[in-house]
Amino acid sequence: MLHIFDKIMRTGRLTEPVAQPEKAVAEIGATFSREIAARFGGSLAIRMVDAGSCNGCELEMNAANNGFYDIERFGIHFVASPRHADLLLVTGTVSRHMQAALQRTWEATPNPKFVVAMGDCAASGGEFGISYASCGAVANVIPVDAVIPGCPPTPITLLQGLLELLRR
Amino acid sequence: MSGREQPTVTQGRVAELPAALRAAGIAARPDAGPVGPASLLMVPPDNWGKAAGVAAGLGLRWSAVWGEHRPPEILVTAVLFGQDGHLLLRTALPEAGAELTSQTPHYPAANRPERYIQDMFGVYFVDHPDGRRWMCHQAWWQDQFPLRKDFPVAGTPEAETPPDYEYPFQTIVGEGVYEIPVGPVHAGIIEPGHFRFQAVGETILAMEEHLGYVHRGVEKIAEGRDLAGLARLAGRVSGDSTVAHTWAACQAAERALGVTVPARALALRAIMAERERIANHLGDIGAIGNDVGFTFAQVQFSRLRELWQRQSLSAFGHRLLMDRIVPGGVAIDLAAPMIEAFQAEATQLRAEIEELLPLLLEYPSLQDRLRGTGVLAPVLARRLGALGFVGRASNLQDDLRRDAPYPPYDRLRVEVPAYRQGDVAKRLRVRGDEIGVALGLIEQMLGDLPEGPLLAHCPPSGHECAGLGLIEGWRGETVCYLRLDAAGRVLRYFPRDPSWLNWPVLESLIHDNIVPDFPVCNKSVNGSYAGHDL
């Protein structure tokens, strides 16, 4: 136990300041308004939905929770149920096998709600596009309010993107 | 506490298979097949299942099976592994009324892959013990076969694909038995899939997986791509294994085309592969701690993973190393100052691991949760063909880097850790050991990094050709089969992620555990949903 305390003390504080976001968000839809800052400025609950991702975006989303980025210090936290969420963070080209699940997750999220498409697949279909197996971009299935591009977006891009949305 | 005991490796020899098949009355004949380290043996379709029985009798490990539509025929090819390397077993059958005997009775690992072939190619396995569909949800009809050549890539989907409510799960009936459906959307930041628990009180009687939710048609959309496009796609089969799958695809292409990859590029590929192994082990060790409420492990190991990924970014330009391996070599060199930085980083990480791992391994309230949890007995690991660290924690030591080494591992000494207990604690420990081994390999390669070019030209061969890729990824043996046309475009791409074999292992080891321990058991195996679903 003492060894653990000792290591914690020696590790110290990891958390880094986040530079002012510089255009991390590529597209912001008309429905995304100042409302989000006013309503959710202090506390944004995110339900993530992997709708057909390779898992790259999830790795970086997890990294945004590590000590260096500590996304929770901005009041942004990931929740277990869409019923507790303000925002859906959707990754992946939407596989047809996930289409109904994504739609239902969106329906289960209380209003007002926002959708952010994370990563190139969610933004445009990426390497996968539209096929017998895939619906392509998230916007083909549910309304999307903003897009954070990258393959995958880095944790800092994701964090800056979300902060940019909160500060508008 | 028991230490390391004599581990087992695959016993039989594939060279003995042709004679053994003939002795069993099976007309097996060698054939010129994919170029690679494996020979190809053709057997008649009616003896497909029986041939697997002969292979199992020799002690060979079953590794993969895939279909390939070559109108008017369908080829089905299985990979077997013995002490002397890999062998391909192939049969050809007419596309109309395609029927085959099943290998599943002899190799349980063939169960889902055969059902996958049934769904995707319309090959009916007559004596398969489980005839249920596997990859076919509701996006196409059961009499449509997406990987047949006459099925258009666009398919004929409805505007809204219905949810797959009707999948016939196996149920257990009895007093106090209840069912818990979980997924496809899970509670955490994780990929989608469905788990169906049959439980009494807190105890899991059985858990059944229903996967395929992130089926993106990888194999179908690969068709017609050039090699650069194939490599990009391979890098997104499973994001955490981008190096392993890209390397396997490029290796298959290079073998098919007879391209010799420069020595420096091979060393850099292996450095990237070991970096990927370390990054994933770091992340998962922390996550295993987190799943039993030990946040210290999560904070410390996610710190180490983040530092590791940042170094990957500064050295190679990508935190996950996507698109760094390209057909013929690598897309980026390791700058001279980075070699020193890598060496310092390895020394530092080793010191951190040597300090942190004992804290985890000796912390009683953590070990109390991990020891005896999610036990996979060695005999079961062997029977199911468990791969990578999952096999190694259950005394199954196979590792291609040592047992069937491809360059540059043929010049390196690879130690393979193994334990007998097969519980979550040992799966964690094997990962800790593997970080040490991988650091040693990186140091060896940095100390002897060949000079020279990074890229060989990969011109089309002017005729059809095929190749096999075999890479020991961080999850285990990663297979790739590739056929190219005369212009160098993809006719067939099949990536076999190790998760195909390790997902069924989770169903097996979760039996009799408590429901709240499912997340930590799942994380200790960490199958890839995307790598499996394709």
Side-chain angles (χ1 to χ4, degrees):
Chain A
M1 197 64 178
L2 284 176
H3 291 297
I4 288 179
F5 285 141
D6 177 53
K7 182 67 183 173
I8 292 170
M9 295 303 286
R10 278 186 291 119
T11 302
R13 185 187 164 97
L14 301 172
T15 311
E16 299 168 337
V18 176
Q20 277 299 312
E22 33 172 317
K23 280 280 158 214
V25 180
E27 303 162 28
I28 298 182
T31 55
F32 218 117
S33 65
R34 291 173 188 283
E35 197 179 27
I36 190 170
R39 285 181 189 269
F40 303 126
S43 167
L44 182 68
I46 298 179
R47 174 61 248 179
M48 73 78 55
V49 183
D50 173 346
S53 155
C54 72
N55 197 29
C57 286
E58 285 63 40
L59 291 173
E60 295 299 58
M61 210 184 290
N62 271 314
N65 284 297
N66 73 33
F68 294 92
Y69 305 108
D70 187 23
I71 194 168
E72 290 213 11
R73 76 184 129 143
F74 300 105
I76 303 171
H77 56 287
F78 290 87
V79 294
S81 168
R83 300 198 190 279
H84 307 154
D86 308 312
L87 184 147
L88 294 183
L89 186 58
V90 186
T91 62
T93 181
V94 182
S95 71
R96 295 197 185 272
H97 292 173
M98 276 301 288
Q99 188 181 8
L102 176 61
Q103 272 164 342
R104 280 164 194 221
T105 304
W106 185 76
E107 284 159 16
T109 309
N111 281 315
K113 58 187 167 194
F114 297 95
V115 176
V116 173
M118 173 185 179
D120 291 347
C121 290
S124 70
E127 280 295 317
F128 300 95
I130 298 174
S131 73
Y132 78 96
S134 158
C135 308
V138 174
N140 296 343
V141 177
I142 55 172
V144 169
D145 299 297
V147 169
I148 298 175
C151 189
T154 61
I156 196 71
T157 308
L158 173 63
L159 187 48
Q160 287 175 334
L162 292 172
L163 291 178
E164 190 179 326
L165 296 174
L166 283 175
R167 285 175 188 157
R168 289 181 75 80
Chain B
M1 196 173 134
S2 55
R4 297 173 192 200
E5 293 174 41
Q6 202 58 31
T8 59
V9 291
T10 297
Q11 289 301 321
R13 300 175 61 81
V14 294
E16 291 167 10
L17 188 62
L21 288 173
R22 279 191 291 274
I26 299 172
R29 60 177 173 83
D31 199 81
V35 182
S39 53
L40 177 71
L41 211 53
M42 293 294 295
V43 293
D46 49 345
N47 281 328
W48 183 247
K50 191 176 169 188
V54 173
L58 288 177
L60 301 179
R61 176 166 66 78
W62 188 96
S63 167
V65 67
W66 64 84
E68 184 178 12
H69 191 200
R70 310 263 297 161
E73 280 187 327
I74 292 173
L75 303 181
V76 176
T77 311
V79 181
L80 297 166
F81 181 75
Q83 274 181 333
D84 50 344
H86 292 83
L87 177 139
L88 300 182
L89 198 65
R90 176 174 284 174
T91 193
L93 57 162
E95 61 184 17
E99 277 189 4
L100 211 50
T101 51
S102 168
Q103 299 193 331
T104 303
H106 309 286
Y107 287 111
N111 185 322
R112 291 174 183 175
E114 287 185 342
R115 287 161 66 193
Y116 182 67
I117 292 173
Q118 195 159 290
D119 288 353
M120 304 304 281
F121 290 94
V123 175
Y124 175 58
F125 288 86
V126 287
D127 54 346
H128 196 291
D130 181 355
R132 292 177 295 167
R133 59 192 167 84
W134 179 243
M135 193 57 67
C136 175
H137 289 204
Q138 302 296 327
W140 64 91
W141 299 104
Q142 263 185 284
D143 59 359
Q144 296 180 305
F145 308 112
L147 287 178
R148 287 209 181 187
K149 293 291 182 190
D150 52 0
F151 184 95
V153 65
T156 50
E158 296 174 44
E160 293 190 14
T161 299
D164 194 21
Y165 280 145
E166 305 293 323
Y167 184 76
F169 285 100
Q170 285 162 339
T171 52
I172 295 176
V173 183
E175 198 181 349
V177 180
Y178 65 102
E179 199 174 65
I180 314 172
V182 179
V185 179
H186 295 156
I189 300 174
I190 184 173
E191 307 182 75
H194 187 96
F195 303 114
R196 185 66 61 96
F197 296 86
Q198 314 289 325
V200 170
E202 283 201 310
T203 305
I204 300 169
L205 298 178
M207 184 279 291
E208 195 180 353
E209 296 154 3
H210 183 209
L211 303 177
Y213 286 91
V214 286
H215 178 67
R216 297 149 293 163
V218 166
E219 295 154 279
K220 191 76 178 181
I221 62 173
E223 292 175 9
R225 286 192 177 218
D226 61 12
L227 289 185
L230 171 73
R232 280 199 312 278
L233 185 64
R236 286 153 185 84
V237 166
S238 177
D240 54 26
S241 303
T242 181
V243 173
H245 277 292
T246 313
W247 192 354
C250 289
Q251 192 188 55
E254 289 146 7
R255 282 173 173 166
L257 298 170
V259 172
T260 305
V261 180
R264 187 174 178 88
L266 288 169
L268 292 180
R269 283 179 175 183
I271 288 172
M272 292 178 196
E274 298 307 325
R275 290 193 72 85
E276 181 169 88
R277 191 180 320 278
I278 290 172
N280 283 296
H281 284 344
L282 288 173
D284 281 357
I285 290 174
I288 287 170
N290 195 49
D291 277 343
V292 291
F294 190 59
T295 47
F296 172 78
Q298 168 78 341
V299 169
Q300 291 293 337
F301 280 85
S302 67
R303 170 177 69 87
L304 297 177
R305 180 184 158 99
E306 176 65 24
L307 294 172
W308 193 254
Q309 280 190 272
R310 288 181 179 193
Q311 185 85 311
S312 290
L313 178 69
S314 45
F316 293 120
H318 196 284
R319 285 166 54 92
L320 300 175
L321 302 170
M322 277 179 177
D323 306 323
R324 306 299 108 165
I325 293 178
V326 293
V330 290
I332 186 165
D333 199 5
L334 185 63
M338 285 314 297
I339 295 177
E340 224 166 279
F342 271 12
Q343 275 158 340
E345 181 198 32
T347 308
Q348 201 180 342
L349 182 59
R350 183 174 284 114
E352 290 268 15
I353 295 294
E354 281 171 5
E355 183 187 6
L356 282 168
L357 263 190
L359 292 181
L360 269 56
L361 297 175
E362 289 158 19
Y363 195 64
S365 52
L366 177 67
Q367 288 300 316
D368 182 52
R369 293 297 306 279
L370 304 185
R371 282 190 200 151
T373 302
V375 174
L376 176 70
V379 61
L380 210 51
R382 202 176 169 75
R383 177 151 173 75
L384 297 173
L387 292 174
F389 56 84
V390 177
R392 282 167 216 141
S394 296
N395 210 32
L396 196 62
Q397 211 190 19
D398 286 9
D399 187 321
L400 297 188
R401 294 174 299 167
R402 184 196 61 183
D403 304 328
Y406 43 97
Y409 294 103
D410 51 353
R411 299 189 298 117
L412 300 169
R413 190 179 137 73
V414 182
E415 278 180 48
V416 186
Y419 296 92
R420 287 185 60 83
Q421 289 82 351
D423 54 6
V424 175
K426 283 294 183 276
R427 283 192 286 279
L428 184 149
R429 183 148 186 195
V430 164
R431 286 154 169 261
D433 292 349
E434 287 193 6
I435 292 174
V437 174
L439 285 174
L441 289 169
I442 290 175
E443 285 169 330
Q444 277 188 65
M445 288 186 277
L446 290 173
D448 185 23
L449 199 60
E451 294 296 327
L454 298 174
L455 209 54
H457 188 44
C458 293
S461 60
H463 54 83
E464 244 185 50
C465 54
L468 189 66
L470 293 158
I471 297 293
E472 187 74 25
W474 72 274
R475 276 198 183 87
E477 181 193 59
T478 306
V479 183
C480 171
Y481 170 72
L482 186 67
R483 189 191 293 269
L484 301 173
D485 69 10
R489 295 197 172 263
V490 176
L491 288 169
R492 174 81 175 111
Y493 167 56
F494 174 68
R496 203 280 278 126
D497 193 89
S499 306
W500 272 100
L501 289 98
N502 284 354
W503 272 120
V505 165
L506 178 65
E507 278 188 0
S508 182
L509 64 79
I510 200 64
H511 175 71
D512 254 358
N513 282 262
I514 57 171
V515 175
D517 276 350
F518 176 71
V520 72
C521 289
N522 189 15
K523 182 50 77 176
S524 77
V525 174
N526 196 1
S528 166
Y529 300 72
H532 166 279
D533 292 355
L534 294 175

